[in-house]
Amino acid sequence: MRKRPDPFVWLTIFSTSIILFFILLPLVEMVAQPSFSSLKEAITDRDVVNSIWLSIYASGLAAIISFVIGTPFAYLIARKTFFGKKFIESVVDLPIMIPHPVVGIALLSVAGRDHWLGQFMHAFGIRIMGSVTGIVLVMVFVGLPFYINTAKAGFEAIPKRLEKVSRSLGASMTGTFFRITFPLAWRSMLVGMIMCTARAISEFGAIVIVAYHPMIAPVMIYERFTAYGLKYSQPVAVWLILVSLLLFLLLRIVSLPKQAKV
Amino acid sequence: MIQLNRLRIDLPRFSIQDIDLSIEKGQFFILLGPTGAGKTLVLEAIMGLAPVTSGQIIVAGKDVTHLPPEKRGMGIVYQDYALFPHLTVLKNISYGLRYRKIDEQPTEKHLDRLIDQLNLSHLVDRSIHNLSGGEKQRVSLARALAVNPSVLLLDEPLSALDPNFREDLRQVLKKLHQELRITFLMVTHDFAEALFLGEQMAIINLGKIEQIDPVSRVFQQPATPFVAEFVGMKNIFPATFNKNRAIVDNLELCLQAPPEGRKRYVGIRAEDVSISKIRPSNNGLNVFKGKVSDIIDRGLYYEVSVSTEEVVFRAMLTKSALFEINPSETKEIHIAIPSSAIHVF
């Protein structure tokens, strides 16, 4: 007699299919609906190419900035316990929770000429409103927590003792970081940068407030949708998805551990 | 060589309380204590890897209390090896060499000798991932010794090994110490290891030192009930003393000599308690009547509890000795304890 599967097995299969269907159907439909000629037309349009390039370039820059300023911080949080650590950790997570337009408004409220920081930046010729600087700034703001949390987990996974032994053998803190910690944690750091880029590239709500122009791809898609309708926004969206997918796939392959590579 | 002056370490839930310790140059010193006694913390404080609240650490006449670990010239070996997983065996071993000064550079030869001594020459190009526990620990030893440390700190280096590797590495440690003549400070909870390797030892419990003495003396004359129990003394009783007599719950034990100073306990090793059916003659012995109340099979021997009217003594018997007494039939037996076997503390 064949064993009858437990009803719970059916439940897991059912929920898996629902989830896959729910996520993939709209995406597949969107990619499939535009005609080949409309796709070709979109990619030969300079404005489209520029916006996709800006999206990728700005989010990549945001990831690099997060890496530079976030790494020492993530290391500190992973290694030390101190008064107020929990508070600092919740502060870092704030950008994940705040509604996106609020992020944009918050950033503008310090960048304006009424604020001392705005005046300071203005004196140096730094403009936030309607500039690439503003776009990157927003992207760092929303992407930083993703980099920091992933890098932190990577540092935490390295036994403290390895660093202690390195110090005992004569290496300074800096030497230990570059000879032990970094070689063991770079994959987590790279994954963190991928997460940060992914978050940055998908940001719309905050950027549309800070910088409608120059146009990043999501803003362009939104503009074409409101001005011309679904048909005209779809091809741009398809190209953004394709280019991003390709990039993330590449980075994922690089960050795979050696053994897992086929 | 190493001097701890009122060393204090306060952690949120644990503290090392004002430890004084002195380790001579070239000594094999053992820090013995149960899990959670603070042994590793003391070791890491000496290495500069744990925060010191107050007190002094002096190494080779120099106050190193606030010196970073990389400036202390010591080596540390951990129970879990702590090998660098991204480096080969040779790169692990030579990790610290670049930090040596140029004038201390007979390193190439020194390294080769060390690799030879530790029998690692066939492994140098291997990744550390597929080494056995014993091999890993030898790599870890070579790595620490490669930089010519003045002191080698060992944190339970044998505890994670299989019994056959453990025996092997015990010999390696003993030989290394004899050949290198540098100071070894080893932390362990295993008294047998301490007895085999150590010269001088300190017993630590709950962040406090209980006794500092030569290893054999700790075994013979434990200073506190904790130490006595830790070194395997099975019979420990609070006692009052009257000249050369110890009174334990109305039971009088005759001592070899009246105790000096204020003593509060007597201790007798189980192997010094003998049991017989016939009453032995009294000369030099304390003889009591009793009943066998419990027998525990310990594998190589039996641990037999004998109750007199006042106290329960524990004795160690071989199988044949137990068979001779035949405890299931014999109602009353005699136990005999030589006065020389009764320790007071």
Side-chain angles (χ1 to χ4, degrees):
Chain A
M1 206 173 82
R2 269 181 61 198
K3 213 170 75 180
R4 276 179 53 189
D6 195 290
F8 191 76
V9 175
W10 291 114
L11 189 66
T12 56
I13 292 170
F14 176 72
S15 94
T16 310
S17 352
I18 287 280
I19 287 167
L20 289 179
F21 193 72
F22 177 59
I23 293 176
L24 287 179
L25 186 71
L27 289 178
V28 168
E29 274 302 315
M30 185 193 62
V31 173
Q33 275 176 7
S35 65
F36 188 72
S37 62
S38 70
L39 281 175
K40 197 178 160 197
E41 195 185 325
I43 204 65
T44 46
D45 180 342
R46 270 206 82 82
D47 289 344
V48 172
V49 174
N50 283 344
S51 74
I52 290 178
W53 170 238
L54 178 62
S55 269
I56 288 175
Y57 149 88
S59 57
L61 205 61
I64 290 167
I65 293 172
S66 298
F67 165 75
V68 172
I69 62 169
T71 304
F73 176 83
Y75 184 76
L76 176 80
I77 294 290
R79 278 296 184 245
K80 303 280 177 210
T81 42
F82 50 86
F83 179 76
K85 182 174 155 179
K86 279 267 174 313
F87 173 74
I88 293 181
E89 283 181 300
S90 356
V91 169
V92 169
D93 285 341
L94 271 180
I96 300 174
M97 290 174 265
I98 302 175
H100 301 178
V102 179
V103 171
I105 290 166
L107 284 173
L108 281 186
S109 47
V110 295
R113 278 184 209 172
D114 301 334
H115 195 270
W116 62 266
L117 193 62
Q119 290 162 0
F120 180 78
M121 288 191 293
H122 194 75
F124 283 87
I126 302 167
R127 203 161 49 93
I128 300 298
M129 188 82 185
S131 72
V132 177
T133 318
I135 293 171
V136 174
L137 190 74
V138 172
M139 285 178 164
V140 171
F141 193 92
V142 297
L144 197 55
F146 290 86
Y147 174 73
I148 287 174
N149 288 335
T150 317
K152 185 184 98 184
F155 290 137
E156 278 169 344
I158 301 170
K160 267 189 194 164
R161 280 191 174 173
L162 299 184
E163 290 170 0
K164 288 183 175 180
V165 168
S166 165
R167 297 289 301 277
S168 82
L169 292 168
S172 62
M173 265 176 98
T174 318
T176 299
F177 184 83
F178 285 109
R179 289 186 73 192
I180 302 297
T181 318
F182 185 80
L184 292 173
W186 70 267
R187 279 201 179 86
S188 316
M189 289 152 93
L190 189 59
V191 171
M193 286 173 77
I194 295 175
M195 305 280 289
C196 176
T197 313
R199 176 65 189 82
I201 221 168
S202 63
E203 181 54 41
F204 167 74
I207 292 175
V208 85
I209 284 177
V210 172
Y212 196 92
H213 288 283
M215 233 181 236
I216 54 161
V219 175
M220 168 167 281
I221 293 163
Y222 173 72
E223 194 196 49
R224 294 214 165 172
F225 174 70
T226 46
Y228 311 108
L230 193 60
K231 261 207 148 73
Y232 289 89
S233 60
Q234 274 172 336
V236 189
V238 170
W239 282 113
L240 180 66
I241 287 179
L242 285 181
V243 175
S244 319
L245 260 184
L246 197 73
L247 265 174
F248 290 137
L249 206 67
L250 257 166
L251 285 170
R252 274 284 178 194
I253 290 169
V254 176
S255 69
L256 274 183
K258 262 186 208 156
Q259 286 91 335
K261 264 188 208 166
V262 186
Chain B
M1 186 71 201
I2 303 178
Q3 184 110 25
L4 305 183
N5 295 335
R6 303 192 68 72
L7 181 73
R8 190 181 179 89
I9 303 169
D10 288 322
L11 295 184
R13 273 183 217 88
F14 184 78
S15 67
I16 294 287
Q17 294 150 32
D18 300 328
I19 281 185
D20 286 300
L21 203 67
S22 172
I23 300 169
E24 276 168 40
K25 193 175 174 175
Q27 209 165 41
F28 202 129
F29 195 98
I30 303 273
L31 195 58
L32 183 77
T35 311
K39 302 171 301 225
T40 302
L41 199 56
V42 173
L43 208 69
E44 291 197 334
I46 295 173
M47 187 70 245
L49 297 166
V52 171
T53 309
S54 63
Q56 266 185 321
I57 301 165
I58 293 165
V59 177
K62 215 170 87 183
D63 186 344
V64 300
T65 317
H66 302 290
L67 220 55
E70 63 267 26
K71 303 256 188 268
R72 297 196 182 195
M74 296 189 246
I76 192 162
V77 168
Y78 282 109
Q79 173 181 355
D80 57 7
Y81 329 119
L83 296 177
F84 305 135
H86 57 305
L87 302 177
T88 63
V89 168
L90 187 64
K91 287 204 169 135
N92 261 280
I93 296 174
S94 52
Y95 183 87
L97 291 184
R98 69 163 72 167
Y99 304 109
R100 307 298 299 167
K101 292 185 198 107
I102 306 293
D103 54 327
E104 298 168 7
Q105 278 284 349
T107 38
E108 196 79 352
K109 221 168 139 194
H110 172 65
L111 204 65
D112 285 346
R113 228 188 91 199
L114 207 58
I115 289 171
D116 240 29
Q117 261 175 323
L118 286 161
N119 197 14
L120 291 168
S121 6
H122 60 296
L123 300 173
V124 284
D125 294 323
R126 291 259 290 272
S127 133
I128 60 145
H129 293 286
N130 35 32
L131 303 184
S132 73
E135 287 166 342
K136 280 183 183 167
Q137 198 55 294
R138 279 186 282 137
V139 174
S140 165
L141 271 166
R143 180 179 63 182
L145 291 169
V147 295
N148 272 323
S150 60
V151 176
L152 185 64
L153 304 169
L154 301 150
D155 183 16
E156 307 230 8
L158 307 173
S159 302
L161 301 176
D162 292 339
N164 46 335
F165 287 132
R166 194 179 304 172
E167 177 56 37
D168 179 47
L169 207 75
R170 228 157 68 160
Q171 302 284 356
V172 169
L173 281 177
K174 190 155 196 161
K175 233 177 108 201
L176 276 176
H177 179 248
Q178 282 162 358
E179 285 168 12
L180 298 169
R181 294 314 307 170
I182 62 171
T183 313
F184 277 42
L185 170 55
M186 176 165 131
V187 151
T188 179
H189 61 256
D190 186 332
F191 191 73
E193 269 170 27
L195 212 54
F196 179 79
L197 291 167
E199 293 162 352
Q200 185 84 2
M201 78 190 311
I203 292 94
I204 183 171
N205 184 35
L206 300 171
K208 277 195 201 138
I209 300 258
E210 299 256 342
Q211 185 174 2
I212 306 175
D213 264 318
V215 171
S216 55
R217 198 180 154 91
V218 173
F219 190 69
Q220 305 284 337
Q221 295 171 344
T224 66
F226 172 80
V227 176
E229 210 179 311
F230 204 75
V231 303
M233 217 169 235
K234 296 273 183 191
N235 301 291
I236 300 161
F237 310 109
T240 53
F241 296 91
N242 184 6
K243 286 177 190 152
N244 67 337
R245 306 203 159 259
I247 295 109
V248 179
D249 268 347
N250 291 332
L251 192 80
E252 262 194 25
L253 290 160
C254 188
L255 307 173
Q256 234 176 356
E260 290 165 28
R262 208 177 125 60
K263 307 287 183 188
R264 285 157 57 207
Y265 296 92
V266 296
I268 303 153
R269 304 198 75 87
E271 52 270 41
D272 289 332
V273 178
S274 52
I275 300 179
S276 57
K277 271 206 256 193
I278 313 149
R279 185 185 167 85
S281 66
N282 263 25
N283 59 32
L285 291 175
N286 291 283
V287 180
F288 308 105
K289 274 191 284 194
K291 277 189 292 206
V292 172
S293 55
D294 194 19
I295 300 170
I296 304 167
D297 188 349
R298 295 277 186 209
L300 295 173
Y301 63 93
Y302 288 88
E303 188 180 310
V304 180
S305 301
V306 181
S307 328
T308 69
E309 267 174 35
E310 291 87 1
V311 286
V312 180
F313 287 102
R314 286 193 278 174
M316 245 161 72
L317 259 67
T318 60
K319 198 169 187 171
S320 58
L322 187 70
F323 185 74
E324 203 171 298
I325 292 165
N326 194 4
S328 53
E329 307 252 308
T330 316
K331 284 249 164 68
E332 198 173 80
I333 55 159
H334 299 275
I335 61 175
I337 304 160
S339 353
S340 59
I342 303 171
H343 307 286
V344 297
F345 47 90

